[in-house]
Amino acid sequence: MKFVVSGRCVGRVGLAVGAVLMSAACAAGGGNGATAHGPVPTEAVESVGSVSAVSAVSAVSAAFGKAVGTEDLTGLGTVSGPVAGVQQAGAPATTLSITEGEVGEVGPHGTITYPSVTSCLVVTVYLRDGGKVGGHVSLFQVPGKYYSDEVLPAIRRAVGGRRVAAVDVSGAVGAWNPSYLRKAIERYTDGSVPEPTGDAKGIGDVVAKILGRQGKEVTVRDVPDGDITR
């Protein structure tokens, strides 16, 4: 497993903590039109990087304790049937934009763009035939799209039995705890939301296991904010 770090991991932890606090405030009725499961405006949370992750955990626990269901949907099989966010109409495209909570595919020599990656991770599976299957994993669910623990199973289903050359994980590594890929933040209802760790190896291990790949096939990269093209 390979890891490439750009030095931005530590700052992303503050961003993740701010995102948790913003989402918790919205769920508790303190937001301005946003919902607990909606996209978090990163401009508003970058200034709260000094707040401790423990405070963020307490805040999100209070907000989500009675706001979401208690089911523990982890690993494979968390999504059944067609789900909004899976771009699968017709033959694979040659260019595709995959936004937060979506999974999509391009054909051989195609290009995937993941727009505005600030607190997210994007996962791109490179197929041996030249195509790519990608998913855009957000800390909090965008309404109608996949939760963070649903994207990897959806990618695995999209890949199916096709041969894989490599898997690339890029984005805000410092804003993540590997457990968010197994159990979305919204699903913690007992006050036990793990703190962001920026654990690149742990993220790579989880991605490899859920996708059914070997660890040596997975590269994890912390990259600057902005659009990511693969």
Side-chain angles (χ1 to χ4, degrees):
M1 194 174 297
K2 295 172 287 183
F3 310 104
V4 182
V5 181
S6 67
R8 298 176 62 86
C9 287
V10 175
R12 253 76 176 273
V13 174
L15 177 60
V17 170
V20 172
L21 289 172
M22 287 292 293
S23 185
C26 291
N32 295 320
T35 67
H37 303 309
V40 179
T42 55
E43 298 83 2
V45 302
E46 289 178 349
S47 62
V48 297
S50 61
V51 180
S52 72
V54 174
S55 298
V57 168
S58 298
V60 78
S61 299
F64 287 121
K66 296 182 180 179
V68 298
T70 58
E71 64 274 18
D72 183 3
L73 305 179
T74 58
L76 296 178
T78 60
V79 182
S80 60
V83 175
V86 179
Q87 303 178 20
Q88 53 186 4
T94 55
T95 60
L96 186 64
S97 176
I98 299 180
T99 61
E100 294 181 30
E102 292 184 344
V103 169
E105 177 177 353
V106 293
H109 312 298
T111 300
I112 297 175
T113 298
Y114 305 95
S116 303
V117 179
T118 54
S119 62
C120 300
L121 292 177
V122 298
V123 180
T124 307
V125 177
Y126 291 79
L127 303 174
R128 289 193 179 276
D129 68 0
K132 304 182 187 82
V133 177
H136 193 145
V137 193
S138 56
L139 282 171
F140 294 92
Q141 187 217 21
V142 174
K145 305 298 178 68
Y146 284 131
Y147 286 90
S148 64
D149 56 4
E150 296 175 331
V151 171
L152 291 174
I155 291 174
R156 181 167 180 170
R157 289 195 300 274
V159 171
R162 291 178 290 177
R163 299 178 66 192
V164 171
V167 180
D168 176 87
V169 182
S170 300
V173 172
W176 283 76
N177 184 303
S179 66
Y180 302 161
L181 296 169
R182 291 189 175 279
K183 184 175 180 179
I185 287 175
E186 293 94 336
R187 304 201 198 282
Y188 287 90
T189 60
D190 58 358
S192 62
V193 182
E195 301 174 10
T197 61
D199 179 5
K201 182 180 185 305
I203 289 171
D205 288 343
V206 171
V207 170
K209 185 168 185 178
I210 294 179
L211 293 184
R213 311 310 311 172
Q214 297 182 25
K216 65 182 181 181
E217 297 175 299
V218 180
T219 298
V220 179
R221 297 190 263 185
D222 184 87
V223 301
D225 296 347
D227 296 352
I228 294 177
T229 300
R230 294 288 182 258

